[in-house]
Amino acid sequence: IRMPFLIEGILQGILGAISAIFLLTIGYTILQDRLSEFIPEFQMLTSKPELIHMHLRILFLGMLLGFLGSLLSLRKFLV
């Protein structure tokens, strides 16, 4: 009876992480463009492998937080 709730928590974590990655990517792109206009020497992360690695960490943490949130609520309400 617990498994569907745990899977739902993981899916909610994934959706939250994907929306966070989307918004961070938009903000990062805008910030990088604006800063490069004012300070041409300023370098931000531009390496694709570094950005992909950061996105994967955000996705994993979202899954983990969704799972832990579901697990804690199940322990409280389904004893």
Side-chain angles (χ1 to χ4, degrees):
I1 194 167
R2 292 179 179 210
M3 191 58 71
F5 294 109
L6 293 175
I7 292 172
E8 182 182 2
I10 291 171
L11 289 176
Q12 287 178 350
I14 289 172
L15 289 176
I18 288 173
S19 63
I21 289 169
F22 178 70
L23 291 174
L24 282 172
T25 302
I26 291 172
Y28 184 81
T29 304
I30 292 171
L31 182 66
Q32 186 176 14
D33 291 342
R34 298 267 169 98
L35 282 178
S36 66
E37 290 175 12
F38 295 114
I39 309 170
E41 299 85 22
F42 187 73
Q43 292 292 324
M44 295 178 69
L45 287 176
T46 55
S47 171
K48 287 280 187 190
E50 289 177 0
L51 292 175
I52 290 172
H53 190 257
M54 182 179 64
H55 290 164
L56 289 175
R57 282 187 282 172
I58 292 171
L59 187 65
F60 175 74
L61 286 174
M63 290 172 55
L64 182 65
L65 287 174
F67 175 76
L68 290 176
S70 293
L71 190 63
L72 289 174
S73 65
L74 283 175
R75 287 182 138 189
K76 183 176 181 177
F77 295 110
L78 289 180
V79 179

